[in-house]
Amino acid sequence: MTVEMPTSLADVVTALAERPGATLLAGGTDLMVEVNEGHRSIGQFGSSDHVIGLTRVPELTSFTVDRSTGTVTLGSGVRWCEIEREPLRSLLPALAQAARTVGSPQIRNAGTVGGNLATCSPAGDGLPVLAATGAVVHLLGPDGARDLAVTDFMTGVKRTAKAPGELITAVTVPLLTGWQGYSKVGVRNAMVIATASACVATDVPSRSVRIALGSVGPTIIRCTEAEGAAERAVDWDTRADPPSITIDGARHCARMAAAASRPIDDHRSTADYRRRAVAVMVERLLLRAFPGEVPR
Amino acid sequence: MSEQYVLHVNGNDHGVRDAWLGESLLYVLRERLGLTAAKGACEQGECGSCSVQVDGVLVCSCLVMAASAVDQAITTVEGLAAPGSPSDVQQAFVDTGAVQCGFCTPGLIIAAHDLLDRDTDPSELTIREELSGNVCRCTGYGRIIEAVQRVAVARRELS
């Protein structure tokens, strides 16, 4: 077995080209759980026994803000503890809210946005926000670089479009102009894996409402019908800032979002509870985004 | 990297030989280096009893691949204070009765040091959030929070 800790992206690409089956190690908060429990074989049963660590690669652990294109590009190795703090907290408020709900401070000090994408758990806290904001995943492999919409990148339960030999270099998140928020239901407040989660992201200039759900399907679900209904239900022309929605309007859209969810019964909850939780969360988020009848 | 490497723990270099490179830092600290302050319980980052600092960052050592921590400065509770002369946080835990069975205590001690080194006047809510990754099943947390608050006050009076 080998453990390599390259210090440049070029060295990662070289190492990965030599060992395309190598295991990529970012924060370790998912990988090491599997290793500790013996669920992940490294160098056993014929699997590659090479590990390439990504935590010392400056190109992956940094982020850039591009005001001209209105985007923030997060290196895949940017950790949750950085996303929950300034300056990213103000730039990406919903992602910062999601970041603050990831595990514990110890987990947020290690876990990364790229790891969230690569693991692609239906309960990945960052993923509904990335889906709602229309983020783009940047991949780099032996055949060069390619970009995928995050909703195309996530293909199923812990399945992604990432090919062997490819790594996630970064994710670009559009800066929106309007309220955005993340909501999560679990069995307690801290240290919890989502039973159900939701993100509502709005862009007032384009009169756009995006709704994405986590933990209620094989992967993150964008609720396009509920989004359309919300865009029609919002009073964009009111002189109030921000625009407003009625409680009935928000409830109607929330029910549509719940209808778009595809939850299952499992060890964490039931499908019925999750569907109900989606309706409650989306209604609350819409009323926070468009407070008319209730204060934000 | 071959199957031997060196870890820099509490200011000392420790060679690790003939070890499977997939071992967690927790396992290597306890079973190979004999540093048993960090405790092993959940081994999935839920309980915080294995908390250590790596390059000054509080992490769960069960989720660090030990071989990936080469060239980094690892601090365990053994490195916080010399035997017989407890740190201010350790003494406050004793004084307030924040220790019952003691299993979670080393993780809480290093997490409290980590917090107080960043925040000299944490609110109770901040303390609760910052220590939310350290699970204690005995105390109900009241005395742990009191211990952290006592240290914060004492350090501010000293400065």
Side-chain angles (χ1 to χ4, degrees), chain A residues 83-124:
Chain A
I83 294 171
E84 68 179 312
R85 292 182 194 137
E86 296 298 352
L88 290 174
R89 179 167 63 187
S90 294
L91 292 166
L92 305 172
L95 195 62
Q97 284 181 351
R100 199 171 164 190
T101 76
V102 173
S104 64
Q106 287 91 325
I107 300 298
R108 302 200 283 276
N109 281 343
T112 65
V113 67
N116 214 223
L117 284 162
T119 296
C120 200
S121 160

CSV table of all heavy atoms in Angstrom, one decimal, chain A residues 83-124:
chain,number,residue,atom,x,y,z
A,83,ILE,N,-16.6,27.5,4.8
A,83,ILE,CA,-17.8,27.9,4.1
A,83,ILE,C,-18.8,28.5,5.1
A,83,ILE,O,-19.5,29.4,4.8
A,83,ILE,CB,-18.5,26.7,3.4
A,83,ILE,CG1,-17.6,26.2,2.3
A,83,ILE,CG2,-19.9,27.1,2.9
A,83,ILE,CD1,-18.0,24.9,1.6
A,84,GLU,N,-18.7,28.1,6.4
A,84,GLU,CA,-19.7,28.6,7.4
A,84,GLU,C,-19.2,30.0,8.0
A,84,GLU,O,-19.9,30.6,8.7
A,84,GLU,CB,-19.9,27.6,8.5
A,84,GLU,CG,-18.8,27.4,9.4
A,84,GLU,CD,-19.1,26.4,10.6
A,84,GLU,OE1,-20.1,26.6,11.2
A,84,GLU,OE2,-18.3,25.4,10.8
A,85,ARG,N,-18.0,30.4,7.6
A,85,ARG,CA,-17.4,31.7,8.1
A,85,ARG,C,-17.3,32.7,6.9
A,85,ARG,O,-17.4,32.4,5.8
A,85,ARG,CB,-16.0,31.5,8.7
A,85,ARG,CG,-16.1,30.7,9.9
A,85,ARG,CD,-14.7,30.5,10.6
A,85,ARG,NE,-14.8,29.4,11.6
A,85,ARG,CZ,-13.9,28.4,11.7
A,85,ARG,NH1,-12.8,28.4,11.0
A,85,ARG,NH2,-14.1,27.5,12.7
A,86,GLU,N,-17.1,34.0,7.3
A,86,GLU,CA,-16.9,35.0,6.3
A,86,GLU,C,-15.6,34.7,5.6
A,86,GLU,O,-14.7,34.2,6.2
A,86,GLU,CB,-16.9,36.4,7.0
A,86,GLU,CG,-18.2,36.8,7.6
A,86,GLU,CD,-19.3,36.9,6.6
A,86,GLU,OE1,-19.1,36.8,5.4
A,86,GLU,OE2,-20.5,37.0,7.0
A,87,PRO,N,-15.4,35.1,4.3
A,87,PRO,CA,-16.4,35.9,3.5
A,87,PRO,C,-17.5,35.0,2.9
A,87,PRO,O,-18.4,35.5,2.3
A,87,PRO,CB,-15.5,36.5,2.5
A,87,PRO,CG,-14.4,35.6,2.3
A,87,PRO,CD,-14.1,35.0,3.6
A,88,LEU,N,-17.3,33.7,2.9
A,88,LEU,CA,-18.2,32.8,2.1
A,88,LEU,C,-19.6,32.8,2.7
A,88,LEU,O,-20.6,32.7,2.0
A,88,LEU,CB,-17.6,31.4,2.1
A,88,LEU,CG,-16.4,31.2,1.2
A,88,LEU,CD1,-15.8,29.8,1.3
A,88,LEU,CD2,-16.7,31.5,-0.3
A,89,ARG,N,-19.7,33.0,4.0
A,89,ARG,CA,-21.0,33.0,4.6
A,89,ARG,C,-22.0,34.1,4.0
A,89,ARG,O,-23.1,33.8,3.8
A,89,ARG,CB,-20.9,33.3,6.1
A,89,ARG,CG,-22.2,33.3,6.9
A,89,ARG,CD,-22.1,33.2,8.4
A,89,ARG,NE,-21.4,34.4,8.9
A,89,ARG,CZ,-21.0,34.5,10.2
A,89,ARG,NH1,-21.3,33.5,11.0
A,89,ARG,NH2,-20.4,35.5,10.6
A,90,SER,N,-21.4,35.2,3.7
A,90,SER,CA,-22.3,36.3,3.2
A,90,SER,C,-22.5,36.1,1.7
A,90,SER,O,-23.6,36.4,1.1
A,90,SER,CB,-21.6,37.7,3.3
A,90,SER,OG,-21.6,38.0,4.7
A,91,LEU,N,-21.5,35.5,1.0
A,91,LEU,CA,-21.7,35.3,-0.4
A,91,LEU,C,-22.6,34.1,-0.7
A,91,LEU,O,-23.4,34.2,-1.7
A,91,LEU,CB,-20.3,34.9,-1.0
A,91,LEU,CG,-19.3,36.1,-1.0
A,91,LEU,CD1,-17.9,35.6,-1.3
A,91,LEU,CD2,-19.7,37.2,-2.0
A,92,LEU,N,-22.5,33.0,0.1
A,92,LEU,CA,-23.3,31.8,-0.2
A,92,LEU,C,-24.1,31.4,1.1
A,92,LEU,O,-23.8,30.5,1.7
A,92,LEU,CB,-22.3,30.7,-0.6
A,92,LEU,CG,-21.4,31.0,-1.8
A,92,LEU,CD1,-20.4,29.8,-1.9
A,92,LEU,CD2,-22.2,31.1,-3.1
A,93,PRO,N,-25.1,32.3,1.4
A,93,PRO,CA,-25.7,32.1,2.7
A,93,PRO,C,-26.4,30.7,2.9
A,93,PRO,O,-26.3,30.1,4.0
A,93,PRO,CB,-26.8,33.2,2.8
A,93,PRO,CG,-26.8,33.9,1.5
A,93,PRO,CD,-25.6,33.4,0.7
A,94,ALA,N,-27.0,30.1,1.9
A,94,ALA,CA,-27.7,28.8,2.1
A,94,ALA,C,-26.6,27.7,2.3
A,94,ALA,O,-26.8,26.8,3.1
A,94,ALA,CB,-28.6,28.5,0.9
A,95,LEU,N,-25.5,27.8,1.5
A,95,LEU,CA,-24.5,26.8,1.6
A,95,LEU,C,-23.8,26.9,3.0
A,95,LEU,O,-23.4,25.9,3.6
A,95,LEU,CB,-23.4,27.0,0.5
A,95,LEU,CG,-22.5,25.8,0.3
A,95,LEU,CD1,-23.3,24.5,0.0
A,95,LEU,CD2,-21.4,26.0,-0.7
A,96,ALA,N,-23.7,28.2,3.5
A,96,ALA,CA,-23.1,28.4,4.8
A,96,ALA,C,-24.1,27.8,5.9
A,96,ALA,O,-23.6,27.2,6.9
A,96,ALA,CB,-22.9,29.9,5.1
A,97,GLN,N,-25.4,28.0,5.7
A,97,GLN,CA,-26.3,27.3,6.7
A,97,GLN,C,-26.2,25.8,6.7
A,97,GLN,O,-26.1,25.2,7.7
A,97,GLN,CB,-27.8,27.7,6.3
A,97,GLN,CG,-28.1,29.1,6.7
A,97,GLN,CD,-29.6,29.4,6.3
A,97,GLN,OE1,-30.3,28.6,5.6
A,97,GLN,NE2,-30.1,30.5,6.8
A,98,ALA,N,-26.1,25.3,5.5
A,98,ALA,CA,-25.9,23.8,5.3
A,98,ALA,C,-24.6,23.4,6.0
A,98,ALA,O,-24.6,22.4,6.7
A,98,ALA,CB,-26.0,23.4,3.9
A,99,ALA,N,-23.6,24.2,5.7
A,99,ALA,CA,-22.2,23.8,6.3
A,99,ALA,C,-22.3,23.7,7.8
A,99,ALA,O,-21.7,22.8,8.4
A,99,ALA,CB,-21.2,24.9,5.9
A,100,ARG,N,-23.1,24.6,8.4
A,100,ARG,CA,-23.1,24.7,9.9
A,100,ARG,C,-23.8,23.5,10.5
A,100,ARG,O,-23.7,23.2,11.6
A,100,ARG,CB,-23.8,26.0,10.3
A,100,ARG,CG,-23.5,26.3,11.8
A,100,ARG,CD,-24.0,27.7,12.1
A,100,ARG,NE,-24.1,27.9,13.5
A,100,ARG,CZ,-24.7,29.0,14.0
A,100,ARG,NH1,-25.2,29.9,13.3
A,100,ARG,NH2,-24.8,29.1,15.3
A,101,THR,N,-24.6,22.8,9.6
A,101,THR,CA,-25.3,21.6,10.1
A,101,THR,C,-24.6,20.3,9.8
A,101,THR,O,-25.0,19.2,10.2
A,101,THR,CB,-26.7,21.5,9.5
A,101,THR,OG1,-26.6,21.0,8.1
A,101,THR,CG2,-27.5,22.8,9.5
A,102,VAL,N,-23.4,20.4,9.2
A,102,VAL,CA,-22.6,19.2,8.9
A,102,VAL,C,-22.0,18.7,10.2
A,102,VAL,O,-21.1,19.4,10.7
A,102,VAL,CB,-21.6,19.4,7.8
A,102,VAL,CG1,-20.7,18.2,7.6
A,102,VAL,CG2,-22.2,19.8,6.5
A,103,GLY,N,-22.3,17.5,10.6
A,103,GLY,CA,-21.6,16.9,11.7
A,103,GLY,C,-21.3,17.8,12.9
A,103,GLY,O,-22.2,18.5,13.3
A,104,SER,N,-20.1,17.8,13.4
A,104,SER,CA,-19.6,18.6,14.5
A,104,SER,C,-18.5,19.5,14.1
A,104,SER,O,-18.1,19.4,12.9
A,104,SER,CB,-19.1,17.6,15.6
A,104,SER,OG,-17.9,17.0,15.0
A,105,PRO,N,-18.1,20.4,14.9
A,105,PRO,CA,-16.9,21.2,14.6
A,105,PRO,C,-15.8,20.4,14.1
A,105,PRO,O,-15.1,20.8,13.1
A,105,PRO,CB,-16.6,22.0,15.9
A,105,PRO,CG,-17.9,22.1,16.6
A,105,PRO,CD,-18.6,20.8,16.3
A,106,GLN,N,-15.5,19.3,14.7
A,106,GLN,CA,-14.4,18.4,14.3
A,106,GLN,C,-14.6,17.9,12.9
A,106,GLN,O,-13.6,17.9,12.1
A,106,GLN,CB,-14.3,17.2,15.2
A,106,GLN,CG,-13.7,17.5,16.6
A,106,GLN,CD,-14.8,17.8,17.6
A,106,GLN,OE1,-15.8,18.4,17.3
A,106,GLN,NE2,-14.6,17.4,18.9
A,107,ILE,N,-15.8,17.6,12.5
A,107,ILE,CA,-16.1,17.1,11.2
A,107,ILE,C,-16.0,18.2,10.2
A,107,ILE,O,-15.5,18.1,9.1
A,107,ILE,CB,-17.5,16.4,11.1
A,107,ILE,CG1,-17.6,15.3,12.1
A,107,ILE,CG2,-17.9,16.0,9.7
A,107,ILE,CD1,-16.7,14.1,11.8
A,108,ARG,N,-16.5,19.4,10.6
A,108,ARG,CA,-16.5,20.5,9.6
A,108,ARG,C,-15.0,21.0,9.4
A,108,ARG,O,-14.8,21.7,8.4
A,108,ARG,CB,-17.4,21.6,10.2
A,108,ARG,CG,-18.8,21.2,10.4
A,108,ARG,CD,-19.8,22.4,10.4
A,108,ARG,NE,-19.8,23.1,11.7
A,108,ARG,CZ,-20.4,22.7,12.7
A,108,ARG,NH1,-21.2,21.7,12.7
A,108,ARG,NH2,-20.4,23.5,13.8
A,109,ASN,N,-14.2,20.8,10.4
A,109,ASN,CA,-12.8,21.1,10.2
A,109,ASN,C,-12.0,20.2,9.2
A,109,ASN,O,-10.9,20.5,8.8
A,109,ASN,CB,-12.0,21.0,11.6
A,109,ASN,CG,-12.3,22.2,12.5
A,109,ASN,OD1,-12.8,23.3,12.0
A,109,ASN,ND2,-12.0,22.1,13.8
A,110,ALA,N,-12.6,19.1,8.9
A,110,ALA,CA,-12.0,18.2,8.0
A,110,ALA,C,-12.8,18.0,6.7
A,110,ALA,O,-12.2,18.0,5.6
A,110,ALA,CB,-11.8,16.8,8.7
A,111,GLY,N,-14.1,17.8,6.8
A,111,GLY,CA,-14.9,17.5,5.6
A,111,GLY,C,-14.9,18.6,4.6
A,111,GLY,O,-14.9,19.8,4.9
A,112,THR,N,-15.0,18.2,3.3
A,112,THR,CA,-14.9,19.2,2.2
A,112,THR,C,-16.1,19.1,1.3
A,112,THR,O,-16.9,18.1,1.3
A,112,THR,CB,-13.7,18.9,1.4
A,112,THR,OG1,-13.9,17.6,0.7
A,112,THR,CG2,-12.4,18.8,2.2
A,113,VAL,N,-16.3,20.2,0.6
A,113,VAL,CA,-17.4,20.3,-0.4
A,113,VAL,C,-17.2,19.3,-1.5
A,113,VAL,O,-18.2,18.6,-2.0
A,113,VAL,CB,-17.6,21.7,-0.9
A,113,VAL,CG1,-16.5,22.2,-1.8
A,113,VAL,CG2,-18.9,21.8,-1.7
A,114,GLY,N,-16.0,19.0,-1.9
A,114,GLY,CA,-15.7,18.0,-2.9
A,114,GLY,C,-16.0,16.6,-2.5
A,114,GLY,O,-16.5,15.8,-3.2
A,115,GLY,N,-15.7,16.4,-1.2
A,115,GLY,CA,-16.0,15.1,-0.6
A,115,GLY,C,-17.5,14.8,-0.6
A,115,GLY,O,-18.0,13.7,-0.8
A,116,ASN,N,-18.3,15.9,-0.2
A,116,ASN,CA,-19.7,15.8,-0.2
A,116,ASN,C,-20.2,15.3,-1.6
A,116,ASN,O,-21.1,14.5,-1.7
A,116,ASN,CB,-20.3,17.1,0.1
A,116,ASN,CG,-21.6,17.1,1.0
A,116,ASN,OD1,-22.5,17.8,0.7
A,116,ASN,ND2,-21.7,16.2,1.9
A,117,LEU,N,-19.7,16.0,-2.7
A,117,LEU,CA,-20.1,15.7,-4.0
A,117,LEU,C,-19.6,14.2,-4.4
A,117,LEU,O,-20.4,13.5,-5.0
A,117,LEU,CB,-19.4,16.7,-5.0
A,117,LEU,CG,-20.1,18.0,-5.0
A,117,LEU,CD1,-19.2,19.1,-5.7
A,117,LEU,CD2,-21.4,18.0,-5.8
A,118,ALA,N,-18.4,13.9,-4.1
A,118,ALA,CA,-17.9,12.6,-4.5
A,118,ALA,C,-18.6,11.5,-3.8
A,118,ALA,O,-18.9,10.4,-4.4
A,118,ALA,CB,-16.4,12.5,-4.2
A,119,THR,N,-18.9,11.6,-2.5
A,119,THR,CA,-19.7,10.6,-1.8
A,119,THR,C,-21.1,10.5,-2.4
A,119,THR,O,-21.7,9.4,-2.5
A,119,THR,CB,-19.7,10.9,-0.3
A,119,THR,OG1,-18.4,10.8,0.2
A,119,THR,CG2,-20.6,9.9,0.4
A,120,CYS,N,-21.7,11.7,-2.6
A,120,CYS,CA,-23.0,11.8,-3.2
A,120,CYS,C,-24.1,11.0,-2.4
A,120,CYS,O,-24.9,10.3,-3.0
A,120,CYS,CB,-23.0,11.4,-4.7
A,120,CYS,SG,-24.4,12.0,-5.6
A,121,SER,N,-24.0,11.1,-1.1
A,121,SER,CA,-25.1,10.6,-0.3
A,121,SER,C,-26.4,11.4,-0.6
A,121,SER,O,-26.3,12.6,-0.7
A,121,SER,CB,-24.7,10.7,1.2
A,121,SER,OG,-25.9,10.6,2.0
A,122,PRO,N,-27.6,10.7,-0.6
A,122,PRO,CA,-28.8,11.5,-0.7
A,122,PRO,C,-28.9,12.5,0.5
A,122,PRO,O,-29.6,13.5,0.3
A,122,PRO,CB,-29.9,10.4,-0.6
A,122,PRO,CG,-29.2,9.1,-0.8
A,122,PRO,CD,-27.8,9.3,-0.4
A,123,ALA,N,-28.2,12.3,1.6
A,123,ALA,CA,-28.3,13.1,2.8
A,123,ALA,C,-27.2,14.2,2.8
A,123,ALA,O,-27.1,14.9,3.8
A,123,ALA,CB,-28.3,12.3,4.0
A,124,GLY,N,-26.4,14.2,1.8
A,124,GLY,CA,-25.3,15.2,1.7
A,124,GLY,C,-25.8,16.6,1.9
A,124,GLY,O,-26.6,17.1,1.2
